[in-house]
Amino acid sequence: MALRESRIHVCWIPHVLLYIIIGLSLLPCIQCVDGNDYSQTGNPAVLPIVTQLIYGRLSNLTKILSQDIKENLGFCIKDVDVDWHGAFNFAGKLDFLTNCVKKTKGDLTQRLCTAAELRFYFKSLFERGAAEDNYLKPNKNCNLSSWVSGCEPGWGCSVGQDHNVDLKTSKAMPSRTQDCQPCCEGFFCPQGITCMIPCPLGSYCPLAKLNKTTGICDPYSYQIAPGTPNHTCGGADIWADVERSSEIFCSPGSYCPTTIREVPCRSGHYCRMGSTSEKLCFKLTTCNPNTANQNIHAYGVMLLVALCTLLLFIYNCSDQVLTTRERRQAKSREAAARHARETAQARERWKSAKDIAKKSAGGLQEHLSRTFSRKKSVRQPEQMMVLGQAKPGKDDARLPPLPLGSSSTSAQSSGTSKAKKKEPSNLTKMLHSLEENPDSNEGFHLEIGDKNLKKNMPKGKQLSTHSQIFKYAYGQIEKEKAMQQQNNNLTFSGVISMAAGGEIRTRPSIEVAFKDLTLTLKGKKKHLLRCVTGKFMPGRVSAVMGPSGAGKTTFLSALAGKVTGCNMSGLILINGKVESMQSYKKIIGFVPQDDIVHGNLTVEENLRFSARCRLSADMPKPDKVLVIERVIESLGLQAVRDSLVGTVEKRGISGGQRKRVNVGLEMVMEPSLLILDEPTTGLDSSSSLLLLRALRREALEGVNICMVVHQPSYALFKMFDDLILLAKGGLTAYHGSAKKVEEYFAGLGITVPERVNPPDHFIDILEGIVKPSSRVTREQLPVRWMLKNGYRVPADMLQYADGLAAMSSTSDSNPGDDEATTIEQSFAGDLWEDMKYNVETKRDRIQHNFLKSKDLSNRRTPGVARQYRYFLGRVSKQRLREARVQAIDYMILLLAGACLGTLAKVSDATFGSLGYTYTVIAVSLLCKISALRTFSLDKLQYWRESASGISSLAHFLSKDAVELFNTFIKPLLYLSMFYFFNNPRSSFTDNYVVLVCLVYCVTGIAYVLSIYLEPSPAQLWSAILPVVLTLIAVQENDNRFLKYLGKLCYTKWALEAFVISNAKRYSGVWLITRCSYLMQSGYDLQDWAFCLLFLILAGIVCRVLAFFCMVTFKKK
């Protein structure tokens, strides 16, 4: 082994010495190789080394010029290394350089442009801008006194063999006027400069040939200078943007792997203009030889058909998802209701059988009497209970019932001795349970005879499934019905307490007193209400009646704190204290005159949302369901609970049912004060009676109810506790018990004729249709009421009082105080007063919207986050039911994308800016108009909900969150058509990101328009804004104001982002075209992210502004 290793080492020594000798012999040759070596020796072996050396010197120019490129061309060159190398990276493609070294006999380095000459050429090129001439500025070599043949286009000169040129020189141009000859192929020699510049990748720069017919050097467009017989066509003459000179660009349908070779595109491939390689066409596309661009319209057509089919399916079957889900819930609910009814009937049959058994069995009768005597003693306090008294005690009737085996110890011992003989059946056990605890909930939540379920029965707060919750709710309702039939003298609260077997939630009582309440329009000196004094008591139903224009609705609005634009005097006392009604808005229900409900929701969904957002946050879900079910049953809405309320376009429930839903929205929040504005208007007598019975049921729980009523029937009139009759001018004609109104007017000599409804007769008298039967006139009725109650009579009404002189001496008011002085004003004065009134009214409305008052309602409703979740569910359901409208919007976007993609062909000179301009206008217009529906369709519903204390922020955020779905889907649909029919060079992802930001921005603008403006002007502005802003953004005017205005237009930044995303895909020979167009348009390649950021920030700012408008300009 040692000998073998020594031989190996000895053998290596000669080889190493040989390599060293060869390396030392070549070292001098490598060090002395230069461009001149080939000119002196002509040795082909040195040619590759000289070529590489010259290419290395050219590559080093990038480092020298990089700083200038960043300073002057930073707007169009993002990365100098990437973009510059993309144009001049000739690695592996040096054939043109080798050929030029041969042609110039090695003095190529004497002919190449230095850094100074390159800087001079490109600076002159961009300073000329869009000028069509190709002349450079006079310089050292080409000027009026010195113009050699190398200054002509396509020719170049050398500095001479005796001078060495450092290509890195960037300060001064060398003197280059010797040995002028045609430019090498693969290079271009501009007119007005005597050096050669390599053609960029993607170009084709062969030697020109003279066309004797035209006298032009083909394929270029320059001519031979006259008077120069020895001058011939040279090489390429200019590299500029494609609009000024496109001769050196590789022609469409061909690709140029090097700058001296052009290859036609093969079949199945396509080659765009300026390509360096061919690209494979997609399947299903037709790409013949010499194809410039693949035709992918087939993909667009197939996608269009598929998406339209899907949208048609959604259009026709959109309601089925919610309908099927609601049908399943309805079956579960009906099963629960049927189970509760059957159990209640079984309970009644069992009690009847037990009563018969008691008469025949003496011992059993004695036992049962003792049992019921104990139960009666326990229940006595409850049966005497009225509103506001002591709370009922807890007993074994609490839900859920006590488990079996909770009887006396004697019963247990007897049961144990009997168990040895015979095991009792399940039915026997249940009967014993009912016998021991007749008020238990046996059967309401359990199947009869199941002994295990009762022990594991979930309690009220632990109910989770829909079936359990509905069984609990319907069980309670059936039990309340049975209790109410057996105990007619109990209040409804007492019935609920007995049914629940425990404490009930007592509502805080609200007593509203008003003294000398007067409302006067600001600046008009017109009285809407005058000297109204009275009181509304809890637990009573009060009616406000009077002729039209008497101020009934204004009166209730003043009590609810919803009147603006008026001067109010007098006092409104709540529970005897001067407090703002807004402090109690969480427990005050206000039913407007119009039926303001969501038409695209079902009856139950409307009621459920109101209950969720306005009931106490700590109330368990089963109890909320119970409240909703009570209201649905009391209003007689069981048959239509799953029906859509309906809109103008889509028929829903009847008008009377809609009116009851309008009232039910306030009843489900368990108010303490319920104010209703004409709730019976438009209802028939039976519907009115049903509604009033439900309201009286609420009054039994201590709710203070007052309403405006028009022409009630006599049966309806008898159900009111108190009555306020208002005369013209907002004056009180009567206020007191409804049963004593006839007695009062009879004392004035006004009797009601036979077969005439008393309220109709009194209203006709106040209206002036019927003259009173006594000497009292209708103007004297309010004065008579004031005198009867000792109220102050306004001085201008003393003339209607009997004994005017006596009243003048005793009245404490000055006759001249309240006299309305009418001063004749000019038209300008009246106009000024009207303008002042409008401004003051709007100011009062805005101040009222921002009015903050201390919450005294003692109810903690769900917070913003929880309400946001409720809103999100509601808005999602509404959008699913509006799927047909959404499908139409999507189909319009698809067609717009296909049409604009076909019509607006991509222009390489402008990087497809025309198609993108159409895109910005079309997408902005379509998305704005569709986004207007987000807030404009339910303004009234929002005003009502916000006035009741529901969060405006949750309302706005939920709608915006659901609209975000369209923000991502609509750009995808539009671009799926536009991209396949237009086929730009930019990527699908870049275009999609820009479109998403654009849609987000225009959606925010649409929010502002829909909230601040009425629907018609909002649609007009949505159509005009995109066009006008786009025209401002693309204008080339030198007006400084328009330029600054254009920078504020979102269309400018959207169009810039589109163009940048497409322009950065153009490299190589397109570099100057890119820089020229971006400089002309004022775009910056570095601003792509900034453009997107601007669009997003504009969308956020518009949303903040929209929310501000929504909160500020809402109506109460």
Side-chain angles (χ1 to χ4, degrees):
M1 289 293 295
L3 182 60
R4 184 178 299 174
E5 290 179 0
S6 63
R7 288 180 179 177
I8 293 175
H9 288 302
V10 171
C11 292
W12 271 105
I13 293 173
H15 293 292
V16 172
L17 292 175
L18 181 60
Y19 285 134
I20 293 174
I21 294 171
I22 294 174
L24 292 175
S25 62
L26 292 176
L27 186 60
C29 296
I30 295 175
Q31 290 178 345
C32 67
V33 167
D34 197 355
N36 296 327
D37 291 347
Y38 182 77
S39 62
Q40 296 175 359
T41 64
N43 186 6
V46 183
L47 188 60
I49 301 175
V50 173
T51 303
Q52 288 292 342
L53 180 62
I54 295 174
Y55 176 64
R57 292 181 179 178
L58 289 174
S59 301
N60 290 333
L61 289 177
T62 306
K63 298 179 181 179
I64 301 171
L65 298 175
S66 60
Q67 188 61 33
D68 291 336
I69 294 174
K70 291 179 181 179
E71 291 178 358
N72 301 318
L73 302 178
F75 65 92
C76 63
I77 297 179
K78 189 174 183 180
D79 190 332
V80 176
D81 293 334
V82 174
D83 290 331
W84 196 261
H85 288 168
F88 299 102
N89 185 12
F90 302 112
K93 305 174 183 178
L94 300 178
D95 295 344
F96 77 100
L97 202 57
T98 303
N99 295 337
C100 192
V101 171
K102 292 181 180 178
K103 180 180 178 181
T104 58
K105 298 180 181 180
D107 68 339
L108 177 60
T109 55
Q110 315 295 328
R111 299 177 180 273
L112 293 177
C113 289
T114 63
E117 291 170 308
L118 289 175
R119 183 181 291 110
F120 169 77
Y121 171 74
F122 287 110
K123 184 178 180 181
S124 301
L125 184 69
F126 287 110
E127 283 181 353
R128 291 203 313 270
E132 295 183 359
D133 61 89
N134 298 329
Y135 295 104
L136 302 179
K137 293 181 179 180
N139 53 77
K140 182 178 181 178
N141 299 314
C142 299
N143 49 61
L144 295 177
S145 60
S146 173
W147 189 269
V148 295
S149 58
C151 295
E152 295 295 332
W155 276 59
C157 300
S158 173
V159 296
Q161 296 291 339
D162 299 334
H163 297 84
N164 292 324
V165 178
D166 187 3
L167 298 181
K168 299 179 182 179
T169 301
S170 59
K171 294 182 180 180
M173 296 174 58
S175 176
R176 195 191 304 272
T177 57
Q178 300 182 14
D179 192 16
C180 299
Q181 57 179 289
C183 194
C184 296
E185 60 178 352
F187 290 84
F188 71 95
C189 298
Q191 185 180 17
I193 193 171
T194 58
C195 60
M196 297 192 306
I197 305 174
C199 290
L201 292 175
S203 62
Y204 179 54
C205 301
L207 292 175
K209 295 181 180 179
L210 179 62
N211 188 331
K212 297 182 180 180
T213 304
T214 60
I216 295 176
C217 295
D218 290 334
Y220 311 110
S221 58
Y222 63 88
Q223 296 178 335
I224 299 177
T228 54
N230 296 328
H231 196 81
T232 60
C233 290
D237 64 324
I238 187 173
W239 174 34
D241 58 273
V242 70
E243 282 190 331
R244 191 188 308 173
S245 176
S246 61
E247 289 84 4
I248 71 170
F249 284 77
C250 192
S251 59
S254 302
Y255 69 98
C256 300
T258 64
T259 55
I260 60 174
R261 183 182 171 208
E262 188 177 45
V263 182
C265 232
R266 296 176 298 169
S267 178
H269 297 77
Y270 71 97
C271 302
R272 297 178 187 264
M273 185 177 184
S275 298
T276 58
S277 62
E278 57 183 359
K279 293 184 178 180
L280 185 65
C281 293
F282 293 156
K283 294 181 179 179
L284 303 180
T285 58
T286 55
C287 289
N288 298 320
N290 299 327
T291 300
N293 198 355
Q294 62 177 340
N295 186 353
I296 55 176
H297 292 180
Y299 288 95
V301 172
M302 289 190 297
L303 187 59
L304 178 63
V305 172
L307 291 176
C308 288
T309 304
L310 177 62
L311 292 176
L312 288 174
F313 177 78
I314 294 174
Y315 181 85
N316 293 297
C317 305
S318 58
D319 294 338
Q320 295 302 318
V321 177
L322 289 177
T323 303
T324 305
R325 183 172 178 267
E326 291 165 0
R327 190 184 302 117
R328 292 174 63 87
Q329 291 182 353
K331 288 181 180 179
S332 175
R333 185 177 59 249
E334 291 171 0
R338 185 170 58 252
H339 180 273
R341 287 192 297 268
E342 292 174 354
T343 306
Q345 294 172 2
R347 182 190 295 277
E348 294 301 322
R349 288 196 298 268
W350 162 244
K351 287 185 178 181
S352 300
K354 188 177 66 173
D355 292 339
I356 296 174
K358 282 196 297 183
K359 296 179 181 179
S360 59
L364 179 60
Q365 182 178 4
E366 182 180 358
H367 175 68
L368 290 176
S369 63
R370 288 197 304 270
T371 303
F372 278 93
S373 63
R374 290 196 301 270
K375 299 300 292 184
K376 191 173 183 181
S377 63
V378 174
R379 285 293 180 184
Q380 272 182 352
E382 285 191 11
Q383 294 184 0
M384 298 296 294
M385 181 188 64
V386 292
L387 183 68
Q389 290 184 353
K391 297 176 181 178
K394 300 179 181 179
D395 55 13
D396 50 354
R398 178 186 293 272
L399 281 177
L402 294 175
L404 295 174
S406 61
S407 57
S408 62
T409 56
S410 60
Q412 289 180 356
S413 60
S414 62
T416 304
S417 61
K418 293 179 180 179
K420 298 179 181 179
K421 298 180 180 179
K422 186 177 181 182
E423 184 72 21
S425 65
N426 292 334
L427 181 58
T428 305
K429 289 182 179 181
M430 193 196 78
L431 296 180
H432 282 306
S433 175
L434 287 175
E435 183 178 337
E436 293 171 0
N437 190 1
D439 291 324
S440 69
N441 295 289
E442 177 68 33
F444 279 95
H445 303 288
L446 308 174
E447 297 294 337
I448 296 178
D450 195 334
K451 63 182 180 180
N452 296 320
L453 286 176
K454 188 172 182 181
K455 296 180 181 179
N456 302 323
M457 181 184 61
K459 302 188 184 296
K461 294 184 179 181
Q462 298 174 352
L463 301 175
S464 56
T465 64
H466 289 286
S467 178
Q468 290 175 339
I469 292 174
F470 282 120
K471 282 184 179 181
Y472 166 75
Y474 286 115
Q476 288 295 104
I477 292 175
E478 292 295 334
K479 199 166 185 182
E480 290 166 9
K481 289 180 182 178
M483 292 294 180
Q484 195 169 13
Q485 291 176 0
Q486 296 175 6
N487 304 275
N488 293 326
N489 59 330
L490 286 183
T491 64
F492 187 60
S493 300
V495 172
I496 295 176
S497 176
M498 290 182 64
E503 298 182 0
I504 62 170
R505 297 177 302 276
T506 58
R507 305 185 192 182
S509 60
I510 294 182
E511 177 187 286
V512 181
F514 37 94
K515 183 178 180 181
D516 202 21
L517 183 61
T518 302
L519 285 180
T520 308
L521 284 176
K522 289 184 176 180
K524 300 286 185 178
K525 296 181 181 180
K526 178 183 178 181
H527 295 293
L528 301 180
L529 286 178
R530 199 168 188 190
C531 303
V532 180
T533 303
K535 181 186 294 186
F536 290 143
M537 300 292 293
R540 300 180 69 85
V541 180
S542 304
V544 180
M545 300 183 189
S548 298
K552 303 181 294 297
T553 300
T554 304
F555 170 60
L556 292 185
S557 300
L559 292 183
K562 297 177 180 292
V563 173
T564 57
C566 298
N567 291 320
M568 188 173 70
S569 61
L571 294 176
I572 297 179
L573 305 176
I574 302 176
N575 295 330
K577 299 178 182 180
V578 180
E579 292 174 341
S580 173
M581 192 66 75
Q582 296 296 318
S583 301
Y584 296 89
K585 66 180 180 180
K586 290 184 179 179
I587 55 175
I588 295 177
F590 186 89
V591 180
Q593 182 175 353
D594 299 324
D595 301 330
I596 302 175
V597 293
H598 291 278
N600 49 10
L601 293 177
T602 64
V603 172
E604 183 182 0
E605 288 168 352
N606 274 287
L607 299 178
R608 186 192 306 126
F609 178 81
S610 182
R612 280 180 170 182
C613 292
R614 300 176 68 182
L615 286 173
S616 179
D618 55 359
M619 179 184 288
K621 182 179 179 181
D623 291 339
K624 291 183 180 179
V625 174
L626 178 58
V627 172
I628 298 170
E629 295 300 326
R630 284 176 184 153
V631 172
I632 290 177
E633 184 164 350
S634 64
L635 292 175
L637 297 172
Q638 301 95 329
V640 294
R641 63 181 301 157
D642 294 324
S643 301
L644 291 177
V645 174
T647 58
V648 178
E649 294 85 4
K650 190 174 183 180
R651 176 71 177 172
I653 59 179
S654 66
Q657 292 165 340
R658 186 185 181 96
K659 178 72 71 175
R660 280 177 273 165
V661 174
N662 188 31
V663 177
L665 290 178
E666 305 301 324
M667 291 176 60
V668 293
M669 51 85 65
E670 295 189 339
S672 296
L673 172 62
L674 185 57
I675 302 174
L676 304 97
D677 189 7
E678 302 184 19
T680 59
T681 302
L683 299 182
D684 54 18
S685 58
S686 59
S687 299
S688 299
L689 283 173
L690 180 63
L691 176 61
L692 204 56
R693 286 196 189 103
L695 294 176
R696 287 204 62 84
R697 184 176 177 179
E698 289 289 309
L700 290 175
E701 294 190 57
V703 181
N704 191 347
I705 299 177
C706 49
M707 66 178 74
V708 174
V709 183
H710 271 302
Q711 294 181 336
S713 63
Y714 186 68
L716 201 67
F717 177 71
K718 286 167 56 178
M719 299 179 71
F720 293 116
D721 297 316
D722 298 320
L723 173 66
I724 291 184
L725 272 177
L726 293 178
K728 291 281 188 177
L731 295 164
T732 306
Y734 175 79
H735 177 32
S737 174
K739 298 177 181 178
K740 297 181 180 180
V741 62
E742 294 183 60
E743 179 183 345
Y744 169 74
F745 279 100
L748 298 179
I750 300 175
T751 58
V752 180
E754 293 184 0
R755 298 184 179 180
V756 175
N757 193 12
D760 292 343
H761 183 67
F762 299 144
I763 292 174
D764 289 343
I765 291 176
L766 295 174
E767 184 70 43
I769 299 175
V770 177
K771 292 184 178 181
S773 56
S774 63
R775 294 181 179 180
V776 180
T777 63
R778 65 186 180 97
E779 290 85 2
Q780 292 177 329
L781 290 177
V783 179
R784 285 296 184 93
W785 176 255
M786 295 179 187
L787 294 176
K788 178 181 180 299
N789 293 276
Y791 301 150
R792 183 178 67 87
V793 180
D796 58 332
M797 298 183 65
L798 290 176
Q799 55 183 325
Y800 299 116
D802 295 331
L804 182 60
M807 284 301 303
S808 298
S809 60
T810 57
S811 178
D812 57 351
S813 59
N814 189 356
D817 288 344
D818 294 331
E819 242 178 322
T821 58
T822 58
I823 300 175
E824 185 103 12
Q825 287 188 352
S826 63
F827 175 78
D830 290 338
L831 181 61
W832 174 250
E833 292 295 330
D834 291 339
M835 291 176 61
K836 282 177 59 178
Y837 170 71
N838 291 332
V839 172
E840 290 178 355
T841 302
K842 291 183 178 180
R843 183 193 62 189
D844 290 349
R845 186 177 297 165
I846 293 174
Q847 289 177 351
H848 188 78
N849 291 335
F850 286 97
L851 180 65
K852 297 295 182 181
S853 55
K854 184 179 179 181
D855 186 13
L856 302 175
S857 59
N858 197 23
R859 176 181 290 185
R860 187 179 64 86
T861 55
V864 176
R866 198 168 174 183
Q867 289 189 32
Y868 170 76
R869 190 179 66 187
Y870 297 150
F871 269 107
L872 204 60
R874 186 182 77 175
V875 177
S876 300
K877 283 185 179 180
Q878 290 174 318
R879 286 302 175 88
L880 283 175
R881 291 197 173 102
E882 296 172 356
R884 291 190 172 187
V885 180
Q886 294 287 339
I888 293 175
D889 290 343
Y890 294 160
M891 292 183 69
I892 294 175
L893 277 171
L894 288 174
L895 295 176
C899 294
L900 294 181
T902 304
L903 296 176
K905 296 296 182 181
V906 177
S907 172
D908 291 326
T910 59
F911 304 105
S913 61
L914 180 62
Y916 288 134
T917 303
Y918 293 160
T919 294
V920 170
I921 295 176
V923 172
S924 298
L925 191 148
L926 295 175
C927 293
K928 275 183 185 177
I929 292 179
S930 63
L932 291 178
R933 297 192 298 267
T934 305
F935 288 98
S936 62
L937 295 181
D938 57 354
K939 280 185 179 181
L940 295 176
Q941 289 84 346
Y942 162 71
W943 290 336
R944 176 179 182 176
E945 291 170 354
S946 62
S948 63
I950 296 180
S951 173
S952 298
L953 182 60
H955 172 86
F956 184 87
L957 292 179
S958 63
K959 283 185 169 291
D960 186 42
V962 174
E963 189 63 30
L964 280 177
F965 175 78
N966 285 330
T967 303
F968 289 98
I969 293 298
K970 287 183 177 180
L972 188 63
L973 293 173
Y974 176 85
L975 197 59
S976 62
M977 292 295 101
F978 181 83
Y979 195 83
F980 283 108
F981 284 93
N982 191 261
N983 197 14
R985 297 200 185 193
S986 55
S987 66
F988 187 91
T989 304
D990 289 345
N991 286 279
Y992 176 71
V993 171
V994 178
L995 268 182
V996 167
C997 296
L998 174 62
V999 173
Y1000 183 79
C1001 176
V1002 300
T1003 302
I1005 298 175
Y1007 289 169
V1008 179
L1009 296 176
S1010 63
I1011 291 173
Y1012 186 73
L1013 300 175
E1014 296 298 325
S1016 296
Q1019 293 177 0
L1020 181 63
W1021 276 101
S1022 298
I1024 291 177
L1025 270 182
V1027 179
V1028 174
L1029 295 182
T1030 303
L1031 292 176
I1032 295 175
V1034 300
Q1035 54 85 29
E1036 298 180 0
N1037 198 331
D1038 294 333
N1039 191 327
R1040 182 174 298 180
F1041 172 75
L1042 290 179
K1043 285 186 177 180
Y1044 284 119
L1045 183 62
K1047 291 182 179 180
L1048 297 177
C1049 299
Y1050 74 91
T1051 52
K1052 185 260 184 190
W1053 301 102
L1055 184 58
E1056 181 175 353
F1058 276 124
V1059 172
I1060 289 174
S1061 63
N1062 200 27
K1064 66 183 181 181
R1065 296 284 176 171
Y1066 288 76
S1067 60
V1069 70
W1070 293 100
L1071 200 58
I1072 290 183
T1073 305
R1074 180 212 290 181
C1075 292
S1076 177
Y1077 184 78
L1078 293 181
M1079 181 176 63
Q1080 180 183 350
S1081 303
Y1083 297 158
D1084 193 336
L1085 208 62
Q1086 313 284 346
D1087 288 345
W1088 191 74
F1090 178 79
C1091 294
L1092 303 183
L1093 182 62
F1094 180 89
L1095 294 174
I1096 295 174
L1097 289 178
I1100 294 174
V1101 170
C1102 289
R1103 280 163 172 79
V1104 173
L1105 181 60
F1107 179 73
F1108 174 78
C1109 293
M1110 187 178 73
V1111 176
T1112 303
F1113 300 106
K1114 64 184 178 183
K1115 296 180 181 178
K1116 290 287 184 179

